[in-house]
Amino acid sequence: MSNTSTVVLNGEDLTYADIVAIGIGDKKVALASQAIERCSASRAYLEDAVRQKKIIYGVNTSYGPMCNKIVNDRDLESLQTNLIISHAAGLGEPILPSIAQAILAVRLNTLVKGYSGVRIELLKLMQGMINSGIAPYIPECGSVGASGDLIHLAHMSLAIIGKGKVYLNKELMNAEEAFEKTDLIPLVLSYKEGLALMNGTAAMTAIAAFTLSGAEKLYNVACVNAAFAVEIFGGIDDAFDEDLHLLKPHPGQIRVAETIKKLYKGTGNITLREDMHERIRSQHHGDVPVFETNINVQDVYSIRCTPQVLAPVRETLDYVTRTIEIEANSTNDNPVVIPEKNKIIHGGNFHGQSISFAMDALCIAISTLCNLSERRTNKLLDKSLNEGLPEHLIPGEVGLNMGFMGAQYLATSSTAENRGLAAPMSVNSISCNASNQDIVSMGTVAARKAFRLVRNAKHIITLEILADLQALSFRNSDKLGHGTGKIYDLLNRHFEVYDDTRIFHDDLLKFRKLLFTGHLFETLSPYLPE
């Protein structure tokens, strides 16, 4: 692509957004010269240690519980190849080519950090594969996330040595064919290199990055939906007052309230507290102990408590971002080579517990976001709750037409499924590898589960947007705030009032793509969450 930019990999500052952009082909990669120097020094130190006949795990020993078996020098290369072939034992649907390419990029970035003892030839081949659009074929099931993503990264490593299948620009083919088409040459791995490729957390980290990217979009649209709900129902401004939130100063709560208030600023739909007092007083006739007003003194929780409910969601997204980016810029294989300190250290940086915890937290956060969305959708559709809107938002003949009645089941079932998926995976350790790996993270399973949950959440949020637009076709669209008005105008160009003349699925599919692929909201960045 002519407009493709380049990410310079140095093992220090790769962002989750970079990971996604590299995976989908929007960015290519280059290697920082300082990183190349560090890698050269690390390799030279390792080579010297091998010449001195030092015993180094995975270099001249076997693996896992067989680490007491010392391997003859003539078989050191075969040891690396055998590791990859024997551990390429995954099953299930293939990981998406875009995520597989991101896995390759994350692993390259961690190796480029300079403490893994691999040759520059390996780094440059991985760079060439990414920039040529070669993505490894990786089955989704197999990793326990303890000694890293051994199964997933073994399949990634197969591609590097020219075996198995790969995607070339998303077309599946044999690795040999892809290398021929791109003029790249697969590598015969030297000692430590098979282990360095496999013994890390690149698969869970890349899946987590794509999951976080979707979750951030969900949060953005959730804030828009919240602002629409306040406008549709003439909500009371107090719930978003800065002074209220400064008295309970969770950072996420303050940010959510600021965002929603910024979105509806300038509206003619919001109820101000003083106006409400006047309207209620005007209904009071006579000296009676109690009289009943038809004006809501407070909004329901799904509107009024949005800042409090979304506060931990926002804070979790920030925590997950930090965790992913630390992991993506860490040395997470074993052993690590630190020439400047004259050390080769054996340890457990490959363990994926941090990513596993983060993905579990993200599942809880996004499931909470879905609970809020589903309840607001229900309020829009239920004639006993929707404050005068048509039943099920039906235009025309109620009963003959069904409106949003059937579509609500999508939100309800997806919300229920997500509650199940929110159960933690990081506590599900099962000892394996002859009890060598006696405590495991299940980080890749947690990331895959979170990815599925985020995918489901997009269904729920998409339906709420459509319900908002349908409700605004009946009232209040002419008095929207500056931000909500601009977003409504943008979305309304693609929206048609649903009147039972179209298959609802088609409307859902169109808006799901509109909201979560492409760059719909870029022109509205001044009004969206930072």
Side-chain angles (χ1 to χ4, degrees):
M1 297 177 6
S2 58
N3 60 346
T4 302
S5 58
T6 300
V7 178
V8 179
L9 301 180
N10 57 17
E12 303 291 336
D13 51 21
L14 185 67
T15 68
Y16 86 88
D18 288 334
I19 294 169
V20 173
I22 294 166
I24 63 178
D26 281 354
K27 292 186 177 181
K28 294 186 180 296
V29 298
L31 306 179
S33 57
Q34 305 95 315
I36 293 292
E37 292 173 7
R38 290 198 305 271
C39 292
S40 296
S42 174
R43 181 65 186 185
Y45 186 84
L46 178 63
E47 289 175 347
D48 187 55
V50 171
R51 280 193 295 270
Q52 294 178 43
K53 305 294 184 182
K54 292 183 178 180
I55 303 302
I56 305 167
Y57 172 78
V59 173
N60 47 26
T61 78
S62 190
Y63 304 104
M66 298 189 295
C67 63
N68 61 339
K69 294 175 171 56
I70 310 303
V71 177
N72 192 294
D73 285 355
R74 68 174 179 270
D75 295 317
L76 296 186
E77 288 184 356
S78 297
L79 180 68
Q80 303 301 308
T81 302
N82 292 348
L83 175 68
I84 291 168
I85 292 174
S86 65
H87 282 64
L91 280 177
E93 293 298 313
I95 286 175
L96 294 172
S98 54
I99 299 180
Q101 183 154 294
I103 291 171
L104 190 62
V106 172
R107 197 72 202 126
L108 175 57
N109 190 61
T110 61
L111 297 178
V112 163
K113 196 168 181 72
Y115 300 103
S116 296
V118 300
R119 294 172 298 164
I120 305 305
E121 296 97 306
L122 173 59
L123 306 177
K124 290 187 174 179
L125 174 60
M126 295 171 74
Q127 176 193 10
M129 290 172 65
I130 294 165
N131 291 344
S132 299
I134 295 179
Y137 177 92
I138 305 175
E140 64 179 351
C141 298
S143 174
V144 298
S147 194
D149 296 309
L150 289 174
I151 297 291
H152 290 73
L153 298 184
H155 282 276
M156 179 200 76
S157 303
L158 277 180
I160 292 169
I161 63 175
K163 296 183 182 296
K165 293 185 178 296
V166 301
Y167 295 96
L168 177 58
N169 299 319
K170 299 186 179 179
E171 181 185 350
L172 187 63
M173 62 184 67
N174 289 326
E176 298 96 323
E177 183 182 358
F179 277 107
E180 288 174 6
K181 289 186 174 184
T182 55
D183 293 327
L184 294 172
I185 300 172
L187 200 63
V188 175
L189 297 179
S190 179
Y191 47 81
K192 178 67 166 67
E193 290 179 334
L195 181 62
L197 287 168
M198 288 173 48
N199 212 195
T201 57
M204 66 179 80
T205 303
I207 297 168
F210 273 78
T211 303
L212 175 60
S213 179
E216 285 284 4
K217 290 177 181 178
L218 284 166
Y219 169 76
N220 286 349
V221 183
C223 287
V224 170
N225 281 343
F228 277 152
V230 178
E231 299 236 41
I232 291 165
F233 293 109
I236 301 166
D237 190 50
D238 279 8
F240 305 94
D241 190 289
E242 180 183 18
D243 290 329
L244 172 72
H245 299 288
L246 289 174
L247 296 176
K248 188 179 180 180
H250 293 292
Q253 180 175 326
I254 292 170
R255 281 180 66 183
V256 173
E258 285 177 348
T259 295
I260 294 171
K261 191 154 189 170
K262 187 177 181 181
L263 282 163
Y264 70 62
K265 182 180 180 181
T267 180
N269 294 319
I270 301 298
T271 303
L272 302 177
R273 178 65 59 179
E274 287 307 313
D275 292 343
M276 186 191 69
H277 291 324
E278 290 300 321
R279 289 166 59 195
I280 292 175
R281 281 194 289 266
S282 71
Q283 296 178 356
H284 188 192
H285 299 289
D287 185 16
V288 294
V290 176
F291 80 98
E292 185 173 339
T293 176
N294 61 357
I295 298 170
N296 290 330
V297 177
Q298 293 191 130
D299 297 312
V300 296
Y301 285 18
S302 61
I303 295 175
R304 179 171 25 129
C305 298
T306 296
Q308 290 82 359
V309 175
L310 291 185
V313 176
R314 179 62 265 163
E315 291 165 13
T316 298
L317 291 170
D318 294 339
Y319 151 61
V320 171
T321 300
R322 289 193 302 273
T323 301
I324 290 172
E325 293 180 353
I326 288 171
E327 194 71 36
N329 292 285
S330 68
T331 297
N332 48 46
D333 62 316
N334 174 58
V336 299
V337 182
I338 312 176
E340 64 270 24
K341 295 197 173 182
N342 198 33
K343 288 182 177 180
I344 296 177
I345 308 175
H346 297 77
N349 276 5
F350 46 64
H351 205 283
Q353 200 72 33
S354 292
I355 292 290
S356 192
F357 261 67
M359 289 295 96
D360 281 349
L362 187 66
C363 283
I364 294 170
I366 299 303
S367 187
T368 299
L369 180 150
C370 294
N371 287 339
L372 191 64
S373 174
E374 187 275 334
R375 285 294 83 195
R376 282 198 302 251
T377 298
N378 186 70
K379 180 173 171 59
L380 287 165
L381 304 185
D382 188 335
K383 68 177 181 180
S384 64
L385 301 175
N386 67 13
E387 302 178 27
L389 286 167
E391 181 177 1
H392 295 295
L393 300 178
I394 296 168
E397 197 66 40
V398 175
L400 177 63
N401 295 331
M402 307 300 164
F404 279 61
M405 179 191 289
Q408 185 180 10
Y409 300 130
L410 172 68
T412 306
S413 63
S414 297
T415 299
E417 183 178 354
N418 277 0
R419 290 173 185 173
L421 290 171
M425 183 56 62
S426 56
V427 297
N428 283 326
S429 177
I430 301 175
S431 178
C432 59
N433 193 231
S435 295
N436 172 54
Q437 296 183 20
D438 57 351
I439 183 93
V440 305
S441 76
M442 297 298 177
T444 310
V445 182
R448 287 173 42 228
K449 179 169 69 74
F451 186 81
R452 177 179 167 191
L453 186 145
V454 164
R455 181 185 62 196
N456 290 343
K458 292 175 182 179
H459 306 337
I460 300 161
I461 291 292
T462 299
L463 180 62
E464 188 185 1
I465 274 281
L466 287 172
D468 287 338
L469 296 173
Q470 186 95 343
L472 288 165
S473 74
F474 297 114
R475 70 182 186 209
N476 294 355
S477 63
D478 58 330
K479 297 179 289 184
L480 289 169
H482 301 319
T484 47
K486 287 183 181 294
I487 294 170
Y488 173 77
D489 289 343
L490 180 63
L491 294 174
N492 205 43
R493 295 175 200 164
H494 307 274
F495 176 73
E496 297 176 67
V497 171
Y498 186 73
D499 59 2
D500 287 53
T501 61
R502 300 183 307 280
I503 298 170
F504 210 117
H505 163 81
D506 296 340
D507 286 22
L508 286 163
L509 190 61
K510 179 173 76 171
F511 264 79
R512 193 182 188 281
K513 288 180 179 177
L514 192 66
L515 293 169
F516 298 108
T517 60
H519 309 285
L520 174 69
F521 288 123
E522 281 186 356
T523 57
L524 300 165
S525 56
Y527 304 100
L528 290 173
E530 295 178 359

